[in-house]
Amino acid sequence: MQKLWGGRFSASADSFAEEFGASISFDKRLAPFDIQGSVAHATMLGTCGIISAAESQAIVDGLGKVRAKLEKGELEFRLSDEDIHMNIERYLTEEIGSVAGKLHTARSRNDQVATSFHLFVRSSIVDVVEAFQELQSRLVEQAVEHAGVIMPGYTHLQRAQPVLFSHHLLAYAQMLQRDIDRAIDLYDRANVLPLGAGALAGTTFPIDRHLSADLLGFAAVYENSMDAVSDRDFVLEFLSLASIAMMHLSRLCEEIVIWTTGEFGYIELHDSLSTGSSMMPQKKNADFAELVRGKTGRVYGALVSLLTTMKGLPLTYNKDMQEDKEGCFDTVDTLLGSLTVVAAMVRTWKVKESAMRTSAAGGFTNATDAADYLAKRGMPFREAHEVVGRLVKHCIANEKALLDLSLIEFKSFSSLFEEDVFQALALETVVERRTSYGGTGGESVNRQLEVARELLCRTTAWVDAATPIVRR
Ligand code: ARG
């Protein structure tokens, strides 16, 4: 079969080599973006008088027909056409004949693929921002629903100090906000047009790259044609923010796995989001949380893979760069899928408030406050720490909690203890007194909720502004 670049060649490609070099099996996902880029290019060529208005119109109409067939699932892509760009051009030729050959005037597949991929990443950014926000709303919802519930906060997975469950959930909402901010920040850097860079050096035709950019909703054009076709840092940044977000999700999922164990029993997942064992009838496993934790690995893999692919490449385009797509597509699917399943778990889990509280009441989570009590009454904190350490040792030996001790027992460790120590060490007091900015006290958590609601609105406004641009 005649290749679109066949003029220079005498022998046809070996079929193994053809298959090895082809990208159509995966880059077909770029089809709508390739067509979008070509419509803009053909329009620009017509407007600039590089092809006639009639030719431009014929190409745009033909691309419309190709798009309609694509949407109906009627396009069958051929391996012999190598990649999505040449498959689409072949279909365009079938629709409108030889005038289709004018579309590639002043263009190379190098700036063409970079353009399609920018359009794909730009649109994926909006998808992931929406999915981040959805999970964030579910967390905020749970924080409100379970306001006032006390759980143990941990360091080293050992009970440390009591916190509000809402405070714990809002920590993740904040992490997700930074994930959102990273994505929004990347949007502006990815929203730049490579088209018009040609193969690497620009073109002799009087093109108008700013017109192409306007037509595609790009805010700017690449300043340097060699940079435009060479770099994939916009993909790397996407993979990097996705890796960080998966790390956040993986930590939340790890907590879900822990919290659903019989030993913790802080939450129970909805039946539809957990699975049983084929042998052990009693089992209810947090499989989906484990899967999200596990899938984090493939997203990191995509990042490291592309960083490695790119690191030794001389300017400008090299075929190595065809390896940029699969990991990115897989990452978009993995991240969106993970966010959806985690949001569903959070929305439907049953929170066992009394198990959290009971656990928070053990483990001497009020020991810091006992030391603070003495320190506020004049004892140097280091000394107070030592006194309370001995108190805790005494309690462990007698299988008691601090609040089980009598005032006489307290006083035998320090005469500074008075009747109000019981009030000071109560779980509610311990939590409520953490009034410092960002602390777990109720007032601070309410303020965090206010902030979270404002951030949710800000994200909605951003999505509403970006959506018509990326969905045009
Ligand atoms: N399928 C190719 C890729 O994804 C398109 C660009 C091909 N350009 C070239 N000079 N061979 O990288």
Side-chain angles (χ1 to χ4, degrees), residues 23 27 83 85 109-110 113 317 319 321-322 325:
S23 53
D27 69 10
D83 63 17
H85 319 290
R109 262 189 304 155
N110 297 350
V113 69
Y317 179 85
K319 187 76 166 181
M321 288 157 72
Q322 183 166 284
K325 295 173 198 64

Side-chain angles (χ1 to χ4, degrees), residues 31-32 35-36 38-39 54 56-77 87-97 99:
I35 293 171
Q36 191 187 356
S38 288
V39 167
S56 168
Q57 195 56 52
I59 293 171
V60 170
D61 292 346
L63 286 166
K65 288 184 189 144
V66 175
R67 189 202 314 253
K69 286 189 174 167
L70 172 76
E71 282 164 6
K72 280 193 236 146
E74 285 170 13
L75 294 194
E76 265 179 46
F77 299 121
N87 269 278
I88 297 284
E89 197 176 323
R90 175 82 65 184
Y91 271 110
L92 181 65
T93 308
E94 282 175 20
E95 290 292 342
I96 63 172
V99 64

Side-chain angles (χ1 to χ4, degrees), residues 295-455:
K295 282 175 187 289
T296 302
R298 63 201 287 159
V299 174
Y300 292 3
L303 172 62
V304 174
S305 167
L306 185 58
L307 281 169
T308 312
T309 296
M310 295 301 296
K311 70 176 274 293
L313 301 186
L315 301 189
T316 52
Y317 179 85
N318 302 266
K319 187 76 166 181
D320 316 45
M321 288 157 72
Q322 183 166 284
E323 290 293 308
D324 58 0
K325 295 173 198 64
E326 283 159 289
C328 180
F329 295 156
D330 185 70
T331 293
V332 170
D333 296 340
T334 303
L335 181 56
L336 291 177
S338 301
L339 285 164
T340 304
V341 84
V342 174
M345 283 192 281
V346 170
R347 186 171 56 79
T348 57
W349 66 23
K350 200 165 103 202
V351 176
K352 300 195 194 151
E353 302 184 353
S354 65
M356 289 184 177
R357 211 206 127 80
T358 306
S359 176
F364 304 99
T365 58
N366 49 3
T368 312
D369 293 66
D372 287 353
Y373 178 99
L374 295 174
K376 283 176 188 163
R377 280 155 188 79
M379 189 182 285
F381 184 79
R382 282 292 156 224
E383 200 179 312
H385 185 284
E386 167 73 23
V387 169
V388 177
R390 280 191 275 113
L391 253 172
V392 167
K393 197 172 162 194
H394 170 81
C395 285
I396 292 171
N398 295 283
E399 293 188 14
K400 284 180 175 180
L402 287 174
L403 283 175
D404 297 332
L405 299 176
S406 65
L407 184 55
I408 296 174
E409 280 174 292
F410 271 116
K411 280 196 173 293
S412 70
F413 286 85
S414 166
S415 58
L416 290 176
F417 284 119
E418 297 295 345
E419 190 59 44
D420 61 355
V421 69
F422 298 101
Q423 177 58 32
L425 298 189
L427 276 189
E428 276 69 20
T429 317
V430 169
V431 169
E432 259 333 288
R433 285 207 179 143
R434 285 186 163 61
T435 51
S436 55
Y437 195 92
T440 196
E443 217 172 284
S444 160
V445 171
N446 283 337
R447 198 196 49 79
Q448 293 177 50
L449 274 171
E450 279 304 300
V451 170
R453 288 195 194 96
E454 275 166 34
L455 291 169

Side-chain angles (χ1 to χ4, degrees), residues 7 28-29 33 40 53 72 97 108 185 234 247 250-251 257-258 284 295 310 339 348 372 379 419 426 470:
K28 60 185 178 206
R29 185 161 175 171
F33 302 104
K72 280 193 236 146
S108 153
D185 191 48
F234 66 104
M247 177 273 294
S250 184
R251 293 185 75 176
V257 170
I258 294 172
K284 182 167 174 183
K295 282 175 187 289
M310 295 301 296
L339 285 164
T348 57
D372 287 353
M379 189 182 285
E419 190 59 44
V470 303

Side-chain angles (χ1 to χ4, degrees), residues 44-294:
M44 181 278 290
L45 290 176
T47 308
C48 295
I50 297 166
I51 60 176
S52 74
E55 288 164 340
S56 168
Q57 195 56 52
I59 293 171
V60 170
D61 292 346
L63 286 166
K65 288 184 189 144
V66 175
R67 189 202 314 253
K69 286 189 174 167
L70 172 76
E71 282 164 6
K72 280 193 236 146
E74 285 170 13
L75 294 194
E76 265 179 46
F77 299 121
R78 296 190 219 147
L79 190 75
S80 53
D81 283 332
E82 194 179 318
D83 63 17
I84 189 58
H85 319 290
M86 295 200 285
N87 269 278
I88 297 284
E89 197 176 323
R90 175 82 65 184
Y91 271 110
L92 181 65
T93 308
E94 282 175 20
E95 290 292 342
I96 63 172
S98 63
V99 64
K102 297 213 168 186
L103 170 61
H104 213 53
T105 311
R107 187 176 76 171
S108 153
R109 262 189 304 155
N110 297 350
D111 56 343
Q112 187 180 358
V113 69
T115 301
S116 303
F117 211 12
H118 274 75
L119 290 168
F120 172 82
V121 169
R122 189 178 76 169
S123 144
S124 300
I125 289 171
V126 179
D127 294 339
V128 304
V129 166
E130 281 188 290
F132 284 142
Q133 190 203 22
E134 169 68 17
L135 173 57
Q136 214 180 24
S137 325
R138 301 287 82 88
L139 290 165
V140 170
E141 218 167 72
Q142 290 292 307
V144 172
E145 192 172 328
H146 302 286
V149 173
I150 296 177
M151 70 179 296
Y154 295 83
T155 63
H156 313 272
L157 199 54
Q158 307 276 347
R159 281 172 288 187
Q161 292 175 347
V163 294
L164 290 180
F165 180 50
S166 311
H167 192 55
H168 195 125
L169 295 178
L170 290 173
Y172 283 105
Q174 283 293 317
M175 296 177 213
L176 284 164
Q177 187 58 41
R178 288 191 294 276
D179 294 330
I180 288 173
D181 291 345
R182 270 184 281 274
I184 290 179
D185 191 48
L186 168 60
Y187 181 91
D188 289 334
R189 273 188 301 283
N191 196 23
V192 178
L193 177 78
L195 197 63
L200 73 160
T203 173
T204 56
F205 290 97
I207 59 171
D208 181 350
R209 297 185 62 207
H210 293 93
L211 172 58
S212 306
D214 284 346
L215 293 170
L216 292 168
F218 282 109
V221 301
Y222 274 88
E223 288 296 327
N224 179 303
S225 63
M226 296 179 80
D227 174 38
V229 294
S230 286
D231 210 354
R232 292 293 182 266
D233 55 357
F234 66 104
V235 187
L236 287 165
E237 279 197 61
F238 182 81
L239 297 175
S240 151
L241 78 88
S243 295
I244 295 172
M246 286 301 292
M247 177 273 294
H248 288 149
L249 294 182
S250 184
R251 293 185 75 176
L252 175 54
C253 285
E254 168 68 5
E255 301 210 289
I256 291 174
V257 170
I258 294 172
W259 292 349
T260 52
T261 58
E263 290 82 347
F264 277 74
Y266 293 174
I267 57 168
E268 186 180 339
L269 291 179
H270 193 266
D271 280 356
S272 62
L273 290 163
S274 37
T275 45
S277 151
S278 58
M279 187 187 214
M280 299 168 282
Q282 84 283 13
K283 293 278 273 182
K284 182 167 174 183
N285 300 326
D287 282 29
F288 294 100
E290 293 174 46
L291 262 178
V292 170
R293 197 177 57 184

